[in-house]
Amino acid sequence: MNMLIGFGYDVHRLVPGRPLVLGGVTIPGERGLEGHSDADVVLHALMDALLGAAGLGDIGRHFPPTDPAYEGADSLELLRRVVALLAAEGYRPVNCDITVVAERPKIGPHVEAMRERISAVLDVEPRRVSIKATTNERMGFVGREEGVAAYAVALIAER
Ligand code: MG
């Protein structure tokens, strides 16, 4: 089976007055991430990993932040489009492994909901979507709670 791997990274700034959306799940009671779309840093890293695996560039190319069409965009919907782009190239997602770097909130209670939502879009079993979290030990911009970062790797295979 022909398989390809990709890597993605994203970071967004934490600001007041925005919903916090991570992995397709809105987490209440927190400052949110600033961005043109819903600023779902987890899904943005994942989309770049999937596009990277297929050699299709990055999300900035496919969904330009200057395009008003993507203002407030639901990143799960953008992920759906990325999966369709892969399908058009003859590929399907196999699995992904994501690390969220955030000082707060606690990601653990939301991981299963994220896996459900992401796996439904990728059309894989939830166990094929791994989401891990770490703090940055109070160091750097994440440690100062200025933003949230996410790293992802994804494997794709010929359909
Ligand atoms: Mg982003």
Side-chain angles (χ1 to χ4, degrees):
M1 188 162 32
N2 187 10
M3 288 196 175
L4 296 165
I5 191 168
F7 170 77
Y9 168 77
D10 196 26
V11 61
H12 281 264
R13 189 181 291 273
L14 277 166
V15 293
R18 289 264 304 179
L20 179 61
V21 185
L22 294 176
V25 175
T26 301
I27 300 175
E30 297 288 337
R31 288 182 300 154
L33 295 174
E34 186 175 55
H36 187 62
S37 67
D38 62 7
D40 188 331
V41 68
V42 172
L43 295 189
H44 292 186
L46 173 58
M47 284 189 271
D48 267 359
L50 290 165
L51 289 169
L56 290 173
D58 59 28
I59 55 172
R61 175 174 137 198
H62 294 279
F63 315 116
T66 48
D67 188 336
Y70 302 114
E71 189 165 349
D74 176 351
S75 292
L76 276 174
E77 186 51 44
L78 301 183
L79 179 61
R80 202 164 280 127
R81 293 205 214 173
V82 166
V83 172
L85 284 167
L86 261 57
E89 296 285 314
Y91 286 95
R92 62 177 173 83
V94 175
N95 79 307
C96 61
D97 186 18
I98 303 166
T99 296
V100 188
V101 191
E103 217 58 44
R104 59 186 297 251
K106 289 243 176 293
I107 305 297
H110 307 285
V111 161
E112 288 313 312
M114 293 180 197
R115 297 176 85 187
E116 286 290 336
R117 287 184 194 181
I118 295 169
S119 63
V121 175
L122 298 186
D123 195 23
V124 299
E125 294 174 55
R127 69 193 172 109
R128 298 302 181 210
V129 176
S130 165
I131 300 174
K132 312 186 304 297
T134 181
T135 70
N136 219 30
E137 296 288 344
R138 307 219 66 84
M139 294 182 290
F141 70 87
V142 169
R144 293 189 296 270
E145 300 183 18
E146 293 169 5
V148 174
Y151 300 85
V153 289
L155 198 67
I156 65 173
E158 281 181 354
R159 290 168 70 83

PDB file of all heavy atoms in Angstrom, residues 42-83:
ATOM      1  N   VAL A  42      -6.082  23.330  16.396  1.00  0.00           N
ATOM      2  CA  VAL A  42      -5.906  21.870  16.301  1.00  0.00           C
ATOM      3  C   VAL A  42      -6.219  21.401  14.883  1.00  0.00           C
ATOM      4  O   VAL A  42      -5.431  20.667  14.266  1.00  0.00           O
ATOM      5  CB  VAL A  42      -6.826  21.156  17.326  1.00  0.00           C
ATOM      6  CG1 VAL A  42      -6.806  19.651  17.129  1.00  0.00           C
ATOM      7  CG2 VAL A  42      -6.415  21.520  18.743  1.00  0.00           C
ATOM      8  N   LEU A  43      -7.342  21.851  14.356  1.00  0.00           N
ATOM      9  CA  LEU A  43      -7.730  21.429  13.009  1.00  0.00           C
ATOM     10  C   LEU A  43      -6.842  22.060  11.950  1.00  0.00           C
ATOM     11  O   LEU A  43      -6.591  21.454  10.910  1.00  0.00           O
ATOM     12  CB  LEU A  43      -9.204  21.754  12.746  1.00  0.00           C
ATOM     13  CG  LEU A  43     -10.213  20.994  13.608  1.00  0.00           C
ATOM     14  CD1 LEU A  43     -11.627  21.246  13.103  1.00  0.00           C
ATOM     15  CD2 LEU A  43      -9.927  19.508  13.652  1.00  0.00           C
ATOM     16  N   HIS A  44      -6.343  23.260  12.205  1.00  0.00           N
ATOM     17  CA  HIS A  44      -5.449  23.889  11.230  1.00  0.00           C
ATOM     18  C   HIS A  44      -4.139  23.112  11.121  1.00  0.00           C
ATOM     19  O   HIS A  44      -3.634  22.893  10.014  1.00  0.00           O
ATOM     20  CB  HIS A  44      -5.180  25.349  11.607  1.00  0.00           C
ATOM     21  CG  HIS A  44      -6.395  26.216  11.486  1.00  0.00           C
ATOM     22  ND1 HIS A  44      -6.361  27.582  11.658  1.00  0.00           N
ATOM     23  CD2 HIS A  44      -7.689  25.912  11.190  1.00  0.00           C
ATOM     24  CE1 HIS A  44      -7.581  28.079  11.481  1.00  0.00           C
ATOM     25  NE2 HIS A  44      -8.397  27.087  11.216  1.00  0.00           N
ATOM     26  N   ALA A  45      -3.587  22.686  12.246  1.00  0.00           N
ATOM     27  CA  ALA A  45      -2.371  21.871  12.201  1.00  0.00           C
ATOM     28  C   ALA A  45      -2.644  20.550  11.486  1.00  0.00           C
ATOM     29  O   ALA A  45      -1.842  20.092  10.662  1.00  0.00           O
ATOM     30  CB  ALA A  45      -1.857  21.618  13.622  1.00  0.00           C
ATOM     31  N   LEU A  46      -3.802  19.957  11.782  1.00  0.00           N
ATOM     32  CA  LEU A  46      -4.159  18.683  11.141  1.00  0.00           C
ATOM     33  C   LEU A  46      -4.326  18.847   9.635  1.00  0.00           C
ATOM     34  O   LEU A  46      -3.848  18.031   8.843  1.00  0.00           O
ATOM     35  CB  LEU A  46      -5.452  18.137  11.768  1.00  0.00           C
ATOM     36  CG  LEU A  46      -6.039  16.895  11.097  1.00  0.00           C
ATOM     37  CD1 LEU A  46      -5.029  15.741  11.096  1.00  0.00           C
ATOM     38  CD2 LEU A  46      -7.333  16.482  11.790  1.00  0.00           C
ATOM     39  N   MET A  47      -5.000  19.921   9.210  1.00  0.00           N
ATOM     40  CA  MET A  47      -5.200  20.142   7.769  1.00  0.00           C
ATOM     41  C   MET A  47      -3.863  20.324   7.053  1.00  0.00           C
ATOM     42  O   MET A  47      -3.668  19.802   5.950  1.00  0.00           O
ATOM     43  CB  MET A  47      -6.096  21.360   7.538  1.00  0.00           C
ATOM     44  CG  MET A  47      -7.550  21.073   7.823  1.00  0.00           C
ATOM     45  SD  MET A  47      -8.626  22.432   7.288  1.00  0.00           S
ATOM     46  CE  MET A  47      -8.646  23.430   8.762  1.00  0.00           C
ATOM     47  N   ASP A  48      -2.940  21.052   7.672  1.00  0.00           N
ATOM     48  CA  ASP A  48      -1.622  21.222   7.052  1.00  0.00           C
ATOM     49  C   ASP A  48      -0.875  19.895   6.971  1.00  0.00           C
ATOM     50  O   ASP A  48      -0.135  19.649   6.014  1.00  0.00           O
ATOM     51  CB  ASP A  48      -0.799  22.263   7.819  1.00  0.00           C
ATOM     52  CG  ASP A  48      -0.965  23.668   7.229  1.00  0.00           C
ATOM     53  OD1 ASP A  48      -1.705  23.806   6.224  1.00  0.00           O
ATOM     54  OD2 ASP A  48      -0.362  24.609   7.757  1.00  0.00           O
ATOM     55  N   ALA A  49      -1.056  19.032   7.965  1.00  0.00           N
ATOM     56  CA  ALA A  49      -0.419  17.712   7.923  1.00  0.00           C
ATOM     57  C   ALA A  49      -0.990  16.880   6.770  1.00  0.00           C
ATOM     58  O   ALA A  49      -0.245  16.240   6.015  1.00  0.00           O
ATOM     59  CB  ALA A  49      -0.618  16.988   9.256  1.00  0.00           C
ATOM     60  N   LEU A  50      -2.300  16.905   6.616  1.00  0.00           N
ATOM     61  CA  LEU A  50      -2.951  16.129   5.540  1.00  0.00           C
ATOM     62  C   LEU A  50      -2.561  16.675   4.165  1.00  0.00           C
ATOM     63  O   LEU A  50      -2.222  15.910   3.253  1.00  0.00           O
ATOM     64  CB  LEU A  50      -4.473  16.178   5.703  1.00  0.00           C
ATOM     65  CG  LEU A  50      -5.038  15.408   6.903  1.00  0.00           C
ATOM     66  CD1 LEU A  50      -6.480  15.823   7.164  1.00  0.00           C
ATOM     67  CD2 LEU A  50      -4.944  13.900   6.680  1.00  0.00           C
ATOM     68  N   LEU A  51      -2.608  18.005   4.022  1.00  0.00           N
ATOM     69  CA  LEU A  51      -2.224  18.613   2.740  1.00  0.00           C
ATOM     70  C   LEU A  51      -0.750  18.358   2.457  1.00  0.00           C
ATOM     71  O   LEU A  51      -0.368  18.081   1.315  1.00  0.00           O
ATOM     72  CB  LEU A  51      -2.513  20.122   2.776  1.00  0.00           C
ATOM     73  CG  LEU A  51      -3.988  20.528   2.748  1.00  0.00           C
ATOM     74  CD1 LEU A  51      -4.131  22.017   3.059  1.00  0.00           C
ATOM     75  CD2 LEU A  51      -4.632  20.200   1.397  1.00  0.00           C
ATOM     76  N   GLY A  52       0.059  18.446   3.502  1.00  0.00           N
ATOM     77  CA  GLY A  52       1.496  18.198   3.338  1.00  0.00           C
ATOM     78  C   GLY A  52       1.775  16.777   2.872  1.00  0.00           C
ATOM     79  O   GLY A  52       2.620  16.551   2.002  1.00  0.00           O
ATOM     80  N   ALA A  53       1.059  15.826   3.441  1.00  0.00           N
ATOM     81  CA  ALA A  53       1.249  14.427   3.038  1.00  0.00           C
ATOM     82  C   ALA A  53       0.963  14.242   1.552  1.00  0.00           C
ATOM     83  O   ALA A  53       1.651  13.494   0.859  1.00  0.00           O
ATOM     84  CB  ALA A  53       0.341  13.517   3.876  1.00  0.00           C
ATOM     85  N   ALA A  54      -0.058  14.942   1.074  1.00  0.00           N
ATOM     86  CA  ALA A  54      -0.454  14.809  -0.334  1.00  0.00           C
ATOM     87  C   ALA A  54       0.335  15.743  -1.249  1.00  0.00           C
ATOM     88  O   ALA A  54       0.122  15.741  -2.466  1.00  0.00           O
ATOM     89  CB  ALA A  54      -1.954  15.090  -0.465  1.00  0.00           C
ATOM     90  N   GLY A  55       1.230  16.560  -0.672  1.00  0.00           N
ATOM     91  CA  GLY A  55       1.987  17.507  -1.487  1.00  0.00           C
ATOM     92  C   GLY A  55       1.110  18.596  -2.070  1.00  0.00           C
ATOM     93  O   GLY A  55       1.367  19.101  -3.162  1.00  0.00           O
ATOM     94  N   LEU A  56       0.059  18.966  -1.333  1.00  0.00           N
ATOM     95  CA  LEU A  56      -0.916  19.937  -1.845  1.00  0.00           C
ATOM     96  C   LEU A  56      -0.779  21.314  -1.206  1.00  0.00           C
ATOM     97  O   LEU A  56      -1.733  22.092  -1.187  1.00  0.00           O
ATOM     98  CB  LEU A  56      -2.341  19.400  -1.625  1.00  0.00           C
ATOM     99  CG  LEU A  56      -2.744  18.204  -2.492  1.00  0.00           C
ATOM    100  CD1 LEU A  56      -4.102  17.653  -2.051  1.00  0.00           C
ATOM    101  CD2 LEU A  56      -2.788  18.587  -3.970  1.00  0.00           C
ATOM    102  N   GLY A  57       0.393  21.617  -0.658  1.00  0.00           N
ATOM    103  CA  GLY A  57       0.586  22.958  -0.111  1.00  0.00           C
ATOM    104  C   GLY A  57       0.048  23.071   1.304  1.00  0.00           C
ATOM    105  O   GLY A  57       0.116  22.125   2.080  1.00  0.00           O
ATOM    106  N   ASP A  58      -0.535  24.235   1.631  1.00  0.00           N
ATOM    107  CA  ASP A  58      -1.024  24.447   2.994  1.00  0.00           C
ATOM    108  C   ASP A  58      -2.399  25.112   2.971  1.00  0.00           C
ATOM    109  O   ASP A  58      -2.902  25.481   1.908  1.00  0.00           O
ATOM    110  CB  ASP A  58      -0.017  25.252   3.824  1.00  0.00           C
ATOM    111  CG  ASP A  58       0.292  26.614   3.222  1.00  0.00           C
ATOM    112  OD1 ASP A  58      -0.569  27.178   2.523  1.00  0.00           O
ATOM    113  OD2 ASP A  58       1.407  27.114   3.457  1.00  0.00           O
ATOM    114  N   ILE A  59      -2.988  25.270   4.157  1.00  0.00           N
ATOM    115  CA  ILE A  59      -4.354  25.800   4.196  1.00  0.00           C
ATOM    116  C   ILE A  59      -4.410  27.259   3.759  1.00  0.00           C
ATOM    117  O   ILE A  59      -5.420  27.711   3.250  1.00  0.00           O
ATOM    118  CB  ILE A  59      -5.042  25.607   5.578  1.00  0.00           C
ATOM    119  CG1 ILE A  59      -4.220  26.188   6.715  1.00  0.00           C
ATOM    120  CG2 ILE A  59      -5.367  24.167   5.826  1.00  0.00           C
ATOM    121  CD1 ILE A  59      -4.973  26.183   8.040  1.00  0.00           C
ATOM    122  N   GLY A  60      -3.296  27.995   3.953  1.00  0.00           N
ATOM    123  CA  GLY A  60      -3.263  29.381   3.494  1.00  0.00           C
ATOM    124  C   GLY A  60      -3.449  29.484   1.993  1.00  0.00           C
ATOM    125  O   GLY A  60      -4.009  30.456   1.486  1.00  0.00           O
ATOM    126  N   ARG A  61      -2.997  28.464   1.283  1.00  0.00           N
ATOM    127  CA  ARG A  61      -3.147  28.440  -0.177  1.00  0.00           C
ATOM    128  C   ARG A  61      -4.584  28.096  -0.580  1.00  0.00           C
ATOM    129  O   ARG A  61      -5.140  28.698  -1.493  1.00  0.00           O
ATOM    130  CB  ARG A  61      -2.168  27.410  -0.748  1.00  0.00           C
ATOM    131  CG  ARG A  61      -2.301  27.194  -2.239  1.00  0.00           C
ATOM    132  CD  ARG A  61      -1.196  26.261  -2.745  1.00  0.00           C
ATOM    133  NE  ARG A  61      -1.737  25.283  -3.686  1.00  0.00           N
ATOM    134  CZ  ARG A  61      -1.125  24.158  -4.033  1.00  0.00           C
ATOM    135  NH1 ARG A  61       0.052  23.852  -3.510  1.00  0.00           N
ATOM    136  NH2 ARG A  61      -1.678  23.348  -4.893  1.00  0.00           N
ATOM    137  N   HIS A  62      -5.169  27.135   0.126  1.00  0.00           N
ATOM    138  CA  HIS A  62      -6.510  26.673  -0.257  1.00  0.00           C
ATOM    139  C   HIS A  62      -7.620  27.549   0.305  1.00  0.00           C
ATOM    140  O   HIS A  62      -8.681  27.666  -0.298  1.00  0.00           O
ATOM    141  CB  HIS A  62      -6.703  25.221   0.181  1.00  0.00           C
ATOM    142  CG  HIS A  62      -5.811  24.286  -0.553  1.00  0.00           C
ATOM    143  ND1 HIS A  62      -6.105  23.816  -1.825  1.00  0.00           N
ATOM    144  CD2 HIS A  62      -4.605  23.759  -0.221  1.00  0.00           C
ATOM    145  CE1 HIS A  62      -5.119  23.020  -2.235  1.00  0.00           C
ATOM    146  NE2 HIS A  62      -4.202  22.974  -1.281  1.00  0.00           N
ATOM    147  N   PHE A  63      -7.382  28.113   1.502  1.00  0.00           N
ATOM    148  CA  PHE A  63      -8.400  28.948   2.159  1.00  0.00           C
ATOM    149  C   PHE A  63      -7.748  30.247   2.605  1.00  0.00           C
ATOM    150  O   PHE A  63      -7.479  30.442   3.796  1.00  0.00           O
ATOM    151  CB  PHE A  63      -9.004  28.211   3.365  1.00  0.00           C
ATOM    152  CG  PHE A  63      -9.354  26.774   3.097  1.00  0.00           C
ATOM    153  CD1 PHE A  63      -8.705  25.750   3.767  1.00  0.00           C
ATOM    154  CD2 PHE A  63     -10.343  26.451   2.168  1.00  0.00           C
ATOM    155  CE1 PHE A  63      -9.018  24.421   3.518  1.00  0.00           C
ATOM    156  CE2 PHE A  63     -10.662  25.123   1.915  1.00  0.00           C
ATOM    157  CZ  PHE A  63      -9.999  24.107   2.588  1.00  0.00           C
ATOM    158  N   PRO A  64      -7.468  31.167   1.670  1.00  0.00           N
ATOM    159  CA  PRO A  64      -6.700  32.376   2.010  1.00  0.00           C
ATOM    160  C   PRO A  64      -7.395  33.217   3.079  1.00  0.00           C
ATOM    161  O   PRO A  64      -8.605  33.448   2.982  1.00  0.00           O
ATOM    162  CB  PRO A  64      -6.646  33.145   0.688  1.00  0.00           C
ATOM    163  CG  PRO A  64      -7.084  32.200  -0.368  1.00  0.00           C
ATOM    164  CD  PRO A  64      -7.889  31.133   0.278  1.00  0.00           C
ATOM    165  N   PRO A  65      -6.649  33.661   4.106  1.00  0.00           N
ATOM    166  CA  PRO A  65      -7.252  34.467   5.171  1.00  0.00           C
ATOM    167  C   PRO A  65      -7.744  35.823   4.673  1.00  0.00           C
ATOM    168  O   PRO A  65      -8.492  36.498   5.364  1.00  0.00           O
ATOM    169  CB  PRO A  65      -6.118  34.636   6.199  1.00  0.00           C
ATOM    170  CG  PRO A  65      -4.864  34.286   5.485  1.00  0.00           C
ATOM    171  CD  PRO A  65      -5.228  33.375   4.350  1.00  0.00           C
ATOM    172  N   THR A  66      -7.324  36.198   3.451  1.00  0.00           N
ATOM    173  CA  THR A  66      -7.781  37.469   2.870  1.00  0.00           C
ATOM    174  C   THR A  66      -9.149  37.314   2.200  1.00  0.00           C
ATOM    175  O   THR A  66      -9.771  38.303   1.831  1.00  0.00           O
ATOM    176  CB  THR A  66      -6.776  37.948   1.811  1.00  0.00           C
ATOM    177  OG1 THR A  66      -6.473  36.850   0.934  1.00  0.00           O
ATOM    178  CG2 THR A  66      -5.492  38.442   2.450  1.00  0.00           C
ATOM    179  N   ASP A  67      -9.601  36.052   2.041  1.00  0.00           N
ATOM    180  CA  ASP A  67     -10.867  35.794   1.354  1.00  0.00           C
ATOM    181  C   ASP A  67     -12.020  35.885   2.351  1.00  0.00           C
ATOM    182  O   ASP A  67     -12.087  35.105   3.294  1.00  0.00           O
ATOM    183  CB  ASP A  67     -10.820  34.396   0.718  1.00  0.00           C
ATOM    184  CG  ASP A  67     -12.023  34.121  -0.171  1.00  0.00           C
ATOM    185  OD1 ASP A  67     -13.081  34.763   0.040  1.00  0.00           O
ATOM    186  OD2 ASP A  67     -11.904  33.268  -1.062  1.00  0.00           O
ATOM    187  N   PRO A  68     -12.954  36.857   2.138  1.00  0.00           N
ATOM    188  CA  PRO A  68     -14.066  37.012   3.088  1.00  0.00           C
ATOM    189  C   PRO A  68     -14.923  35.753   3.216  1.00  0.00           C
ATOM    190  O   PRO A  68     -15.639  35.587   4.200  1.00  0.00           O
ATOM    191  CB  PRO A  68     -14.882  38.177   2.510  1.00  0.00           C
ATOM    192  CG  PRO A  68     -14.239  38.589   1.244  1.00  0.00           C
ATOM    193  CD  PRO A  68     -12.989  37.800   1.027  1.00  0.00           C
ATOM    194  N   ALA A  69     -14.833  34.850   2.234  1.00  0.00           N
ATOM    195  CA  ALA A  69     -15.615  33.609   2.283  1.00  0.00           C
ATOM    196  C   ALA A  69     -15.282  32.787   3.525  1.00  0.00           C
ATOM    197  O   ALA A  69     -16.097  31.989   3.990  1.00  0.00           O
ATOM    198  CB  ALA A  69     -15.366  32.778   1.033  1.00  0.00           C
ATOM    199  N   TYR A  70     -14.062  32.987   4.070  1.00  0.00           N
ATOM    200  CA  TYR A  70     -13.624  32.144   5.187  1.00  0.00           C
ATOM    201  C   TYR A  70     -13.710  32.853   6.526  1.00  0.00           C
ATOM    202  O   TYR A  70     -13.227  32.356   7.527  1.00  0.00           O
ATOM    203  CB  TYR A  70     -12.214  31.612   4.924  1.00  0.00           C
ATOM    204  CG  TYR A  70     -12.180  30.832   3.641  1.00  0.00           C
ATOM    205  CD1 TYR A  70     -11.450  31.271   2.547  1.00  0.00           C
ATOM    206  CD2 TYR A  70     -12.941  29.670   3.512  1.00  0.00           C
ATOM    207  CE1 TYR A  70     -11.474  30.572   1.348  1.00  0.00           C
ATOM    208  CE2 TYR A  70     -12.971  28.975   2.326  1.00  0.00           C
ATOM    209  CZ  TYR A  70     -12.232  29.427   1.248  1.00  0.00           C
ATOM    210  OH  TYR A  70     -12.272  28.742   0.069  1.00  0.00           O
ATOM    211  N   GLU A  71     -14.353  34.025   6.546  1.00  0.00           N
ATOM    212  CA  GLU A  71     -14.509  34.747   7.799  1.00  0.00           C
ATOM    213  C   GLU A  71     -15.421  33.947   8.731  1.00  0.00           C
ATOM    214  O   GLU A  71     -16.555  33.603   8.366  1.00  0.00           O
ATOM    215  CB  GLU A  71     -15.083  36.146   7.548  1.00  0.00           C
ATOM    216  CG  GLU A  71     -15.046  36.980   8.806  1.00  0.00           C
ATOM    217  CD  GLU A  71     -15.254  38.466   8.529  1.00  0.00           C
ATOM    218  OE1 GLU A  71     -15.225  38.868   7.352  1.00  0.00           O
ATOM    219  OE2 GLU A  71     -15.451  39.198   9.502  1.00  0.00           O
ATOM    220  N   GLY A  72     -14.919  33.633   9.908  1.00  0.00           N
ATOM    221  CA  GLY A  72     -15.697  32.857  10.875  1.00  0.00           C
ATOM    222  C   GLY A  72     -15.945  31.424  10.455  1.00  0.00           C
ATOM    223  O   GLY A  72     -16.797  30.736  11.015  1.00  0.00           O
ATOM    224  N   ALA A  73     -15.182  30.944   9.458  1.00  0.00           N
ATOM    225  CA  ALA A  73     -15.427  29.605   8.907  1.00  0.00           C
ATOM    226  C   ALA A  73     -15.292  28.521   9.974  1.00  0.00           C
ATOM    227  O   ALA A  73     -14.445  28.595  10.855  1.00  0.00           O
ATOM    228  CB  ALA A  73     -14.449  29.332   7.769  1.00  0.00           C
ATOM    229  N   ASP A  74     -16.168  27.524   9.853  1.00  0.00           N
ATOM    230  CA  ASP A  74     -16.130  26.336  10.694  1.00  0.00           C
ATOM    231  C   ASP A  74     -14.987  25.450  10.175  1.00  0.00           C
ATOM    232  O   ASP A  74     -15.043  24.940   9.050  1.00  0.00           O
ATOM    233  CB  ASP A  74     -17.481  25.623  10.574  1.00  0.00           C
ATOM    234  CG  ASP A  74     -17.525  24.316  11.346  1.00  0.00           C
ATOM    235  OD1 ASP A  74     -16.476  23.859  11.840  1.00  0.00           O
ATOM    236  OD2 ASP A  74     -18.633  23.747  11.442  1.00  0.00           O
ATOM    237  N   SER A  75     -13.956  25.260  10.986  1.00  0.00           N
ATOM    238  CA  SER A  75     -12.791  24.515  10.512  1.00  0.00           C
ATOM    239  C   SER A  75     -13.101  23.049  10.255  1.00  0.00           C
ATOM    240  O   SER A  75     -12.403  22.404   9.476  1.00  0.00           O
ATOM    241  CB  SER A  75     -11.627  24.664  11.491  1.00  0.00           C
ATOM    242  OG  SER A  75     -11.165  26.007  11.474  1.00  0.00           O
ATOM    243  N   LEU A  76     -14.149  22.493  10.880  1.00  0.00           N
ATOM    244  CA  LEU A  76     -14.552  21.116  10.546  1.00  0.00           C
ATOM    245  C   LEU A  76     -15.002  21.056   9.096  1.00  0.00           C
ATOM    246  O   LEU A  76     -14.751  20.069   8.393  1.00  0.00           O
ATOM    247  CB  LEU A  76     -15.681  20.649  11.470  1.00  0.00           C
ATOM    248  CG  LEU A  76     -15.281  20.078  12.832  1.00  0.00           C
ATOM    249  CD1 LEU A  76     -16.529  19.809  13.663  1.00  0.00           C
ATOM    250  CD2 LEU A  76     -14.440  18.816  12.722  1.00  0.00           C
ATOM    251  N   GLU A  77     -15.660  22.117   8.636  1.00  0.00           N
ATOM    252  CA  GLU A  77     -16.095  22.177   7.233  1.00  0.00           C
ATOM    253  C   GLU A  77     -14.875  22.306   6.316  1.00  0.00           C
ATOM    254  O   GLU A  77     -14.817  21.680   5.245  1.00  0.00           O
ATOM    255  CB  GLU A  77     -17.052  23.367   7.044  1.00  0.00           C
ATOM    256  CG  GLU A  77     -17.686  23.453   5.685  1.00  0.00           C
ATOM    257  CD  GLU A  77     -18.333  22.138   5.237  1.00  0.00           C
ATOM    258  OE1 GLU A  77     -19.041  21.479   6.046  1.00  0.00           O
ATOM    259  OE2 GLU A  77     -18.098  21.768   4.075  1.00  0.00           O
ATOM    260  N   LEU A  78     -13.885  23.092   6.734  1.00  0.00           N
ATOM    261  CA  LEU A  78     -12.650  23.199   5.940  1.00  0.00           C
ATOM    262  C   LEU A  78     -11.926  21.854   5.902  1.00  0.00           C
ATOM    263  O   LEU A  78     -11.379  21.459   4.869  1.00  0.00           O
ATOM    264  CB  LEU A  78     -11.740  24.289   6.513  1.00  0.00           C
ATOM    265  CG  LEU A  78     -12.324  25.711   6.571  1.00  0.00           C
ATOM    266  CD1 LEU A  78     -11.281  26.696   7.100  1.00  0.00           C
ATOM    267  CD2 LEU A  78     -12.835  26.163   5.204  1.00  0.00           C
ATOM    268  N   LEU A  79     -11.936  21.139   7.031  1.00  0.00           N
ATOM    269  CA  LEU A  79     -11.311  19.807   7.078  1.00  0.00           C
ATOM    270  C   LEU A  79     -12.006  18.865   6.095  1.00  0.00           C
ATOM    271  O   LEU A  79     -11.359  18.071   5.410  1.00  0.00           O
ATOM    272  CB  LEU A  79     -11.376  19.247   8.504  1.00  0.00           C
ATOM    273  CG  LEU A  79     -10.788  17.857   8.709  1.00  0.00           C
ATOM    274  CD1 LEU A  79      -9.294  17.820   8.375  1.00  0.00           C
ATOM    275  CD2 LEU A  79     -11.014  17.370  10.151  1.00  0.00           C
ATOM    276  N   ARG A  80     -13.340  18.983   6.034  1.00  0.00           N
ATOM    277  CA  ARG A  80     -14.108  18.169   5.087  1.00  0.00           C
ATOM    278  C   ARG A  80     -13.635  18.443   3.660  1.00  0.00           C
ATOM    279  O   ARG A  80     -13.489  17.534   2.850  1.00  0.00           O
ATOM    280  CB  ARG A  80     -15.594  18.525   5.261  1.00  0.00           C
ATOM    281  CG  ARG A  80     -16.556  17.486   4.782  1.00  0.00           C
ATOM    282  CD  ARG A  80     -17.965  17.736   5.335  1.00  0.00           C
ATOM    283  NE  ARG A  80     -18.097  17.255   6.705  1.00  0.00           N
ATOM    284  CZ  ARG A  80     -18.535  17.983   7.735  1.00  0.00           C
ATOM    285  NH1 ARG A  80     -18.889  19.225   7.562  1.00  0.00           N
ATOM    286  NH2 ARG A  80     -18.612  17.455   8.935  1.00  0.00           N
ATOM    287  N   ARG A  81     -13.360  19.712   3.368  1.00  0.00           N
ATOM    288  CA  ARG A  81     -12.895  20.069   2.022  1.00  0.00           C
ATOM    289  C   ARG A  81     -11.494  19.534   1.749  1.00  0.00           C
ATOM    290  O   ARG A  81     -11.178  19.150   0.633  1.00  0.00           O
ATOM    291  CB  ARG A  81     -12.901  21.588   1.849  1.00  0.00           C
ATOM    292  CG  ARG A  81     -14.292  22.141   1.870  1.00  0.00           C
ATOM    293  CD  ARG A  81     -14.303  23.440   1.115  1.00  0.00           C
ATOM    294  NE  ARG A  81     -15.257  24.352   1.718  1.00  0.00           N
ATOM    295  CZ  ARG A  81     -15.400  25.614   1.364  1.00  0.00           C
ATOM    296  NH1 ARG A  81     -14.614  26.112   0.444  1.00  0.00           N
ATOM    297  NH2 ARG A  81     -16.298  26.376   1.934  1.00  0.00           N
ATOM    298  N   VAL A  82     -10.654  19.530   2.806  1.00  0.00           N
ATOM    299  CA  VAL A  82      -9.307  18.977   2.645  1.00  0.00           C
ATOM    300  C   VAL A  82      -9.388  17.481   2.345  1.00  0.00           C
ATOM    301  O   VAL A  82      -8.682  16.967   1.470  1.00  0.00           O
ATOM    302  CB  VAL A  82      -8.462  19.256   3.911  1.00  0.00           C
ATOM    303  CG1 VAL A  82      -7.190  18.411   3.924  1.00  0.00           C
ATOM    304  CG2 VAL A  82      -8.109  20.741   3.984  1.00  0.00           C
ATOM    305  N   VAL A  83     -10.263  16.774   3.050  1.00  0.00           N
ATOM    306  CA  VAL A  83     -10.445  15.338   2.797  1.00  0.00           C
ATOM    307  C   VAL A  83     -10.915  15.120   1.358  1.00  0.00           C
ATOM    308  O   VAL A  83     -10.467  14.184   0.683  1.00  0.00           O
ATOM    309  CB  VAL A  83     -11.435  14.725   3.826  1.00  0.00           C
ATOM    310  CG1 VAL A  83     -11.777  13.285   3.458  1.00  0.00           C
ATOM    311  CG2 VAL A  83     -10.837  14.787   5.234  1.00  0.00           C
TER     312      VAL A  83
END
